[in-house]
Amino acid sequence: MSKTTPATAALTKAGIRFELFPYDYDPNAPRVGLQAAQALGKAPEQVFKTLMAEVDGKPVCVVVPSDCEVSMKKLAATFGGKSANMMKPADAERLTSFKVGGISPFGQRKSVPTAIDETATLFDQVLINGGQRGLLVGLSPDDAVRITDAKLADLTA
């Protein structure tokens, strides 16, 4: 496993301090984010999953706790849209340059509007995908918001 990914390179270039959290990725896990939290012995609400969606047909990146589901209604409202839906995996991979299960909000091929669930601010450190399957990065929620220029919002159902 490489410790340098487009995500970790983007964090390093931005001068953001982060910690690597490699784990054994299970592609057959019913919920990959929960599997990552369990593998690392971390609380599921501190491990955030990165999802790609569309609001009124435009791509957005959504970062929510691994034990939660995204509210499409809240997501659409966050970006001033009328409707939201999950992006097809192949489209998400093409847009971000990351494989599903390894999508990071950092270092994506094309920068898109990003929203991070407001519960991230409850922690000194959150774990977010580091750009490949089996690698999370730990960083402060403030840094995660700053590097992605994210909106903080209530995004969960």
Side-chain angles (χ1 to χ4, degrees), residues 18-137:
F18 63 94
E19 186 178 352
L20 295 174
F21 288 89
Y23 67 96
D24 290 328
Y25 175 80
D26 179 1
N28 299 315
R31 296 181 69 185
V32 174
L34 288 177
Q35 184 264 325
Q38 184 176 19
L40 291 167
K42 297 288 185 179
E45 59 272 12
Q46 186 180 7
V47 176
F48 282 65
K49 59 186 174 185
T50 305
L51 304 168
M52 299 304 293
E54 295 174 329
V55 172
D56 294 345
K58 294 185 173 73
V60 297
C61 181
V62 189
V63 184
V64 296
S66 64
D67 61 342
C68 295
E69 296 297 321
V70 176
S71 163
M72 291 299 149
K73 186 175 183 176
K74 290 177 182 178
L75 177 60
T78 297
F79 289 107
K82 294 183 186 210
S83 67
N85 59 280
M86 295 307 299
M87 189 178 287
K88 291 179 180 147
D91 293 341
E93 289 180 350
R94 192 169 34 260
L95 180 71
T96 64
S97 79
F98 297 119
K99 295 274 185 216
V100 168
I103 292 177
S104 178
F106 318 119
Q108 293 186 2
R109 176 180 291 149
K110 183 178 182 210
S111 181
V112 299
T114 301
I116 298 175
D117 192 75
E118 63 191 8
T119 60
T121 61
L122 299 174
F123 301 95
D124 292 333
Q125 181 185 63
V126 291
L127 280 66
I128 301 174
N129 199 290
Q132 70 185 28
R133 295 170 177 165
L135 181 66
L136 299 180
V137 291

Side-chain angles (χ1 to χ4, degrees), residues 138-154:
L139 71 165
S140 80
D142 290 344
D143 284 342
V145 168
R146 188 165 41 91
I147 190 172
T148 58
D149 194 26
K151 296 176 182 247
L152 275 174
D154 175 7

